[in-house]
Amino acid sequence: MQRGEFLYEGKAKRIYATEDPGIFWMEFKDDATAGNGAKRGTIGDKGRINAEITTRVYEYLAASGVKTHFVRAESPTVLIVKKLSMFPLEVVVRNIAAGSLVKRFGLPEGKEMADPIVELYLKNDELGDPLLNDDHIVALGLATTTEIAALKAAARRVNELLRPYFLKLGILLVDFKLEFGRENGEIVLGDEVTPDTCRFWDAKTREKLDKDRFRQDLGGVEEAYQEVLRRVEQSDA
Ligand code: TMP
């Protein structure tokens, strides 16, 4: 498969067309940003590590019946994916209080939620990705009530699959962000699942193994990403 016309660039990936109009070329970058672009840097080998983690996780999800955009890995930093009509939404699932949940509601970091919390945010950097309720989503024409219910159910299903998947690897899945699209009337998981988009804590020590090490200048960022990849590669799921 050939890399075609450059289409767009996000904070962590570049998307190109291919000779197949239904297929994109998704290239993972080493670039890292935090605080909506306020902090910028690179994380050594991140592109390769995140492409590989996404490959393994999406293969597992697909084998468990979740529809994803993943087709195959083309090279260490490139995934071939299906073109979706993306919802401009970030779907966040939270099992343990951290990040903006702690800031917004004053919960203690590390408090386990009795039931996972699902939140939807508008994917819009200029507006700072605001939190949305269902009425906002319908009023803004971003998704129908039926689609909102399907997005939340899909996110909960991914959580039910990924929590035990990571726990077997000694990793607590604290929270994570998903992005979905439509394909022939179906809801399909797009984007990536990586230490950029998830909070991972070591199950024994609660050490952070994700982008919070970059956000909070904790050091050992690349080592943490490598450790997640090392464990994912050992998964027998
Ligand atoms: P938050 O606590 O900052 O709202 O983040 C919740 C989860 O979503 C966390 O695992 C990081 C992930 N996330 C992204 O992947 N992209 C984003 O733009 C934001 C704000 C969060």
Side-chain angles (χ1 to χ4, degrees), residues 11 90 92 94 98-101 119 121 129 175-177 196-199 215:
K11 295 185 200 107
E90 301 195 338
V92 169
R94 301 179 184 273
S100 69
L101 191 72
E119 300 171 335
Y121 293 85
D129 295 348
D175 58 31
F176 58 96
K177 182 262 305 180
D196 275 6
T197 62
C198 303
R199 285 195 174 91
R215 294 186 189 101

Side-chain angles (χ1 to χ4, degrees), residues 162-211:
L162 291 189
R163 258 182 117 173
Y165 171 90
F166 283 109
L167 194 57
K168 262 181 104 175
L169 307 175
I171 294 173
L172 293 176
L173 181 59
V174 173
D175 58 31
F176 58 96
K177 182 262 305 180
L178 302 173
E179 295 184 26
F180 292 92
R182 305 177 184 91
E183 188 199 39
N184 305 324
E186 277 192 310
I187 292 210
V188 180
L189 178 64
D191 200 44
E192 63 180 89
V193 169
T194 66
D196 275 6
T197 62
C198 303
R199 285 195 174 91
F200 294 131
W201 293 354
D202 182 89
K204 276 206 195 99
T205 64
R206 298 214 149 197
E207 185 190 358
K208 295 181 200 301
L209 297 172
D210 57 62
K211 199 166 128 186

Side-chain angles (χ1 to χ4, degrees), residues 67-230:
K67 297 233 173 320
T68 86
H69 70 157
F70 176 80
V71 177
R72 66 168 190 276
E74 178 77 7
S75 81
T77 57
V78 173
L79 304 189
I80 300 298
V81 299
K82 282 192 259 183
K83 177 180 173 179
L84 305 177
S85 166
M86 297 302 290
F87 293 94
L89 298 170
E90 301 195 338
V91 183
V92 169
V93 182
R94 301 179 184 273
N95 297 308
I96 297 174
S100 69
L101 191 72
V102 166
K103 276 208 197 100
R104 186 173 293 120
F105 299 112
L107 289 168
E109 185 181 71
K111 184 182 164 62
E112 182 130 0
M113 301 294 103
D115 282 308
I117 296 174
V118 179
E119 300 171 335
L120 293 104
Y121 293 85
L122 180 64
K123 194 173 158 68
N124 183 318
D125 285 342
E126 278 167 37
L127 297 175
D129 295 348
L131 180 63
L132 300 163
N133 72 22
D134 293 5
D135 289 349
H136 295 137
I137 295 170
V138 174
L140 294 169
L142 307 174
T144 64
T145 306
T146 310
E147 286 171 332
I148 295 168
L151 288 167
K152 290 182 182 175
R156 285 185 196 280
R157 176 72 186 133
V158 170
N159 187 46
E160 281 165 11
L161 290 165
L162 291 189
R163 258 182 117 173
Y165 171 90
F166 283 109
L167 194 57
K168 262 181 104 175
L169 307 175
I171 294 173
L172 293 176
L173 181 59
V174 173
D175 58 31
F176 58 96
K177 182 262 305 180
L178 302 173
E179 295 184 26
F180 292 92
R182 305 177 184 91
E183 188 199 39
N184 305 324
E186 277 192 310
I187 292 210
V188 180
L189 178 64
D191 200 44
E192 63 180 89
V193 169
T194 66
D196 275 6
T197 62
C198 303
R199 285 195 174 91
F200 294 131
W201 293 354
D202 182 89
K204 276 206 195 99
T205 64
R206 298 214 149 197
E207 185 190 358
K208 295 181 200 301
L209 297 172
D210 57 62
K211 199 166 128 186
D212 271 352
R213 301 203 72 84
F214 173 79
R215 294 186 189 101
Q216 300 169 10
D217 292 316
L218 298 176
V221 185
E222 184 181 339
E223 291 77 6
Y225 279 61
Q226 259 158 1
E227 178 61 17
V228 173
L229 174 58
R230 191 186 66 77

